[in-house]
């Protein structure tokens, strides 16, 4: 179990007293380097817990909780945080996860139909709808685990933020799809990659892109 011990207690190199806080890509890569090994552990936890499929939603929420903590620079222990979030709001997260899997299944089924594959316009519409859904989910899961708002308000806020800030949501979606695409295109040769990289890294990228918008436009409005 030493492998799952939290890494935030390790003494870091420190920062200069008057150094300005990092933002943007500089902050992204700073967190990525600091939390890299935690993300590998987190990815494995997610794969194990999501395999039964019915627990996909709970594992998805736990994954987002851990990566949001990383982005917020909150001391984190992925084993403890993942386990706690896995049990929290389990019925709600299970239903949301099953709905997400159902939508993915319908999308893949439609693409497998010869009549759909041969119709460019229909394919464009399907991919556009799938992209919008993925963008909304990229904001929804971090918001559900980090902000105390009703589900309906969370869905509405996620849709507004995803479409209002394409400069954040679209690059995050592109990077995440690249990670997933490489992992599954090369499968089974990429099995070690699937076990340790795409889900934890993809969730971190998504959480990083979404959190600043959530913090600025959702949390601050709720605190007024």
């Amino acid at each position: 179990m030493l492998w799952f011990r939290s890494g935030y207690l390790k003494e870091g190199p420190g920062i200069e007293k008057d150094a300005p806080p990092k933002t943007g890509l500089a902050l992204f890569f700073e967190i990525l380097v600091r939390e890299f090994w935690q993300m590998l552990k987190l990815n494995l936890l997610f794969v194990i817990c999501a395999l039964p499929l019915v627990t996909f939603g709970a594992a998805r929420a736990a994954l987002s909780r851990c990566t949001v903590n990383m982005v917020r620079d909150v001391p984190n222990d992925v084993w403890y945080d993942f386990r706690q979030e896995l049990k929290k709001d389990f019925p709600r997260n299970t239903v949301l996860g099953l709905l997400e899997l159902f939508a993915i299944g319908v999308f893949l089924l439609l693409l497998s139909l010869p009549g759909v594959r041969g119709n460019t316009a229909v394919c464009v519409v399907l991919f556009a709808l799938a992209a919008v859904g993925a963008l909304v989910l990229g904001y929804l899961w971090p918001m559900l685990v980090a902000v105390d708002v009703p589900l309906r308000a969370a869905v509405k806020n996620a849709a507004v933020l995803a479409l209002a800030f394409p400069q954040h949501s679209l690059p995050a979606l592109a990077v995440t799809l690249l990670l997933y695409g490489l992992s599954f295109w090369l499968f089974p040769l990429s099995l070690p990659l699937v076990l340790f990289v795409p889900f934890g890294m993809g969730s971190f990228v998504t959480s990083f892109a979404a959190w600043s918008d959530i913090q600025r436009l959702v949390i601050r409005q709720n605190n007024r």
Side-chain angles (χ1 to χ4, degrees), residues 136-156:
V136 173
L137 288 170
Y139 280 87
L140 178 61
W141 286 108
M143 196 178 312
L144 288 176
V145 301
V147 185
D148 186 16
V149 292
L151 176 60
R152 181 177 296 182
V155 173
K156 177 182 177 181

Side-chain angles (χ1 to χ4, degrees), residues 12-207:
I15 58 173
E16 296 181 10
K17 181 179 179 181
D18 299 323
K22 293 182 180 180
T23 58
L25 287 178
L27 178 60
F28 174 85
F29 284 109
E30 180 184 85
I31 300 174
L32 177 62
V33 171
R34 184 178 69 232
E35 303 285 358
F36 180 75
W37 294 109
Q38 299 297 316
M39 291 181 202
L40 300 189
K41 302 171 192 176
L42 181 60
N43 192 95
L44 184 59
L45 281 172
F46 173 78
V47 171
I48 293 172
C49 293
L51 270 179
L53 294 185
V54 71
T55 56
F56 170 79
R60 185 93 146 85
L63 179 70
S64 293
R65 167 66 181 275
C66 292
T67 53
V68 167
N69 283 349
M70 294 174 185
V71 172
R72 295 169 63 191
D73 198 20
V74 174
N76 62 85
D77 177 346
V78 295
W79 172 244
Y80 176 81
D81 295 340
F82 191 96
R83 184 178 56 183
Q84 291 298 110
E85 190 64 38
L86 193 69
K87 297 181 292 184
K88 184 180 178 182
D89 296 319
F90 187 85
R92 182 200 68 184
N93 293 333
T94 297
V95 172
L96 290 176
L98 291 176
L99 288 174
E100 183 175 347
L101 290 176
F102 177 76
I104 294 172
V106 170
F107 173 72
L108 295 176
L109 176 62
L110 290 175
L111 285 182
S112 69
L113 299 176
V116 173
R117 289 202 309 267
N119 192 318
T120 303
V122 173
C123 286
V124 169
V125 171
L126 282 177
F127 277 104
L129 290 174
V132 171
L135 293 176
V136 173
L137 288 170
Y139 280 87
L140 178 61
W141 286 108
M143 196 178 312
L144 288 176
V145 301
V147 185
D148 186 16
V149 292
L151 176 60
R152 181 177 296 182
V155 173
K156 177 182 177 181
N157 290 334
V160 170
L161 291 175
L163 299 178
F165 296 98
Q167 70 273 26
H168 298 158
S169 57
L170 285 175
L173 177 61
V175 172
T176 302
L177 289 178
L178 179 62
L179 288 169
Y180 292 172
L182 288 175
S183 298
F184 293 102
W185 181 47
L186 298 174
F187 196 84
L189 296 177
S190 63
L191 181 59
L193 186 69
V194 173
L195 290 176
F196 292 103
V197 175
F199 304 110
M201 199 72 67
S203 181
F204 168 69
V205 171
T206 301
S207 294

